[in-house]
């Protein structure tokens, strides 16, 4: 492969912190390629290619990429913001493959057991299906890109949920055995960049998630826990045993006032399905005089397990004067317009600016029991406000994710108590040993977990 035949696509996001990370990554790639070639390869930022909100789900943007680069390129290489690339090694790795054939290349992940986030696919033998770890970079040969692009053009994408994109892209490409499976490329790695085991690697990961200055103070985060009477004895005690003590300002919202917890009844009856009425009441309360004024709001379920110190570190990267909505991003109907939303169970983080904008619009629940996270996504989409994704938030349990995927993360949250001991899960995955007050101490323990 010649450098001019490669198109790099950074899976970037429109939030200012992420734009600056992607720009730095683009500059690094172009700097590496300067010495190698006269004409630099295209390095595209995914979020800025078109106006379509669904571009992050990759499939809708394939026809556009095929049109632009189908004629004189050989490879489309997708990178995450944290992917480091050694361009020369990447070229050597790609040269092993005949660019005239269909190739889907990456670092394979597989499920150990069938999982809800993959709709229990391959339940008989979950580990048989391989899908790429996006952090290691992944690639499509142009013949495959062109065929996929015409498939996307001819058969409208299902107006459905986008939950775990890397798995869904792999399923779409595999097409029940009609298309190629993922081919493993050992040079695509998720080791830390300076690791001694990474010498053969063309891609590695930047050292752990960035700490952008001092962690946000716990006094600056207001925590809202959604609960209801039937879970006061079952789930609330788990919050109290695990992460409640790390919060400075925390309130439990229920359909029943219980002074022993204490819970607050917002006057919204509990609903079996969605909690839209309750969540909008929380947003109203957050900006009212009833609670201290803070820069950040975190809304969680009573069965969310979360590390607030790690969240404080992550939030140091974001500007609370911007409308920030952060968490694990899912999509609905992205092939046909649709919208993105922060899935509620993993925790939804809002800057005060975002809450003010949401409440100033006339967006509201169409029913009290509408799904709150999805309605908020529709509202944000209507307002043109971005949903910012972090893979450190998780809508499901650790067992629901591929082990190799979790191995290079310092996670912030998990969700659900099904068939697990939630306190043990918290202690294993989310608890930091050093409770030292210095952020450096926390950062050190975080690095060691990696």
């Amino acid at each position: 492969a010649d450098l001019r035949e490669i198109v790099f696509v950074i899976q970037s996001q429109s939030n200012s912190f992420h734009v600056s990370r992607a720009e730095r990554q683009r500059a690094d790639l172009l700097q590496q390629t300067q010495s190698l070639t006269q004409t630099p390869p295209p390095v595209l930022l995914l979020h800025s290619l078109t106006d379509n909100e669904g571009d992050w789900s990759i499939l809708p943007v394939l026809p556009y990429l095929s049109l632009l680069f189908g004629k004189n390129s050989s490879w489309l290489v997708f990178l995450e913001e944290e992917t480091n690339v050694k361009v020369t090694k990447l070229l050597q790795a790609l040269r092993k493959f005949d660019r005239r054939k269909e190739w889907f290349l990456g670092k394979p992940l597989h499920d150990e057991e069938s999982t809800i986030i993959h709709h229990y696919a391959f339940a008989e033998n979950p580990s048989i299906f391989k899908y790429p770890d996006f952090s290691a970079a992944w690639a499509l040969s142009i013949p495959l890109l062109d065929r996929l692009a015409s498939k996307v053009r001819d058969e409208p994408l299902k107006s459905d949920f986008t939950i775990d994109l890397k798995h869904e892209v792999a399923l779409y490409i595999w097409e029940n055995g009609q298309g190629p499976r993922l081919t493993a490329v050992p040079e695509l790695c998720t080791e830390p960049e300076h690791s001694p085991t990474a010498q053969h690697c063309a891609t590695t990961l930047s050292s752990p998630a960035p700490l952008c200055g001092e962690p946000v103070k716990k006094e600056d985060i207001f925590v809202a826990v959604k609960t209801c009477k039937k879970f006061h004895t079952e789930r609330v005690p788990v919050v109290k045993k695990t992460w409640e003590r790390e919060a400075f300002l925390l309130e439990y919202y229920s359909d029943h006032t219980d002074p022993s917890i204490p819970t607050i009844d917002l006057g919204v009856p509990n609903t079996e399905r969605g909690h839209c009425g309750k969540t909008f009441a929380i947003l109203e309360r957050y900006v009212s005089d009833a609670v201290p004024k803070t820069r950040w709001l975190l809304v969680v379920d009573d069965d969310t397990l979360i590390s607030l110190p790690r969240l404080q570190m992550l939030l140091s990267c974001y500007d609370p004067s911007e409308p920030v909505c952060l968490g694990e991003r899912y999509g609905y109907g992205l092939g046909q317009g649709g919208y993105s939303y922060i899935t509620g169970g993993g925790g939804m983080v809002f800057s005060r600016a975002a809450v003010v904008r949401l409440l100033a619009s006339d967006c509201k629940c169409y029913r009290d029991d509408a799904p709150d996270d999805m309605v908020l996504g529709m509202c944000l989409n209507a307002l043109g406000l971005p949903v910012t994704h972090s893979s450190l938030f998780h809508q499901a349990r650790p067992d629901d994710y591929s082990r190799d995927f979790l191995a290079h993360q310092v996670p912030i949250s998990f969700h659900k108590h099904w068939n697990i001991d939630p306190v043990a899960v918290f202690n294993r995955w989310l608890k930091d040993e050093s409770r030292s007050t210095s952020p450096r101490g926390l950062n050190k323990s975080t690095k060691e977990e990696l």
Side-chain angles (χ1 to χ4, degrees), residues 47 106 109 149 172 218 248 255 293 369 379 405 444:
H47 80 274
L109 295 172
Y172 187 83
K218 53 166 87 174
F248 181 75
D255 51 350
K293 193 171 175 180
D369 74 343
C379 295
F405 172 69
K444 183 165 175 293

Side-chain angles (χ1 to χ4, degrees), residues 182-193:
L182 180 69
T183 298
V185 178
E187 293 86 352
L188 300 178
C189 311
T190 51
E191 269 88 332
E193 54 185 317

Side-chain angles (χ1 to χ4, degrees), residues 38 47 62 73 141 159 166 194 257 393 418:
Q38 312 307 291
H47 80 274
L62 293 180
S73 305
S141 63
S159 172
K166 51 196 181 297
H194 304 301
T257 308
F393 295 79
W418 296 334

Side-chain angles (χ1 to χ4, degrees), residues 228 287-288 319 436:
C228 60
V287 297
S288 76
D319 178 351
S436 85

Side-chain angles (χ1 to χ4, degrees), residues 266-298:
L266 292 168
V268 181
N270 188 51
T271 49
E272 274 305 306
R273 293 199 301 239
H275 309 130
C276 197
K278 186 184 282 181
T279 297
F280 272 78
I282 290 171
L283 298 181
E284 298 276 5
R285 181 171 171 88
Y286 170 73
V287 297
S288 76
D289 296 335
V291 300
K293 193 171 175 180
T294 57
R295 291 179 175 172
W296 297 100
L297 168 66
L298 166 66

Side-chain angles (χ1 to χ4, degrees), residues 156-217:
L157 293 161
K158 288 191 185 67
S159 172
D160 200 7
F161 288 94
T162 302
I163 289 175
D164 186 18
L165 182 64
K166 51 196 181 297
H167 191 266
E168 289 155 40
V169 165
L171 277 177
Y172 187 83
I173 293 173
W174 178 61
E175 211 182 336
N176 290 316
Q178 307 293 299
R181 286 181 175 271
L182 180 69
T183 298
V185 178
E187 293 86 352
L188 300 178
C189 311
T190 51
E191 269 88 332
E193 54 185 317
H194 304 301
S195 158
T197 56
Q199 280 155 4
H200 70 288
C201 294
T203 58
T204 51
L205 287 189
S206 325
S207 43
L211 180 63
C212 312
E214 290 294 301
V216 166
K217 293 185 173 61

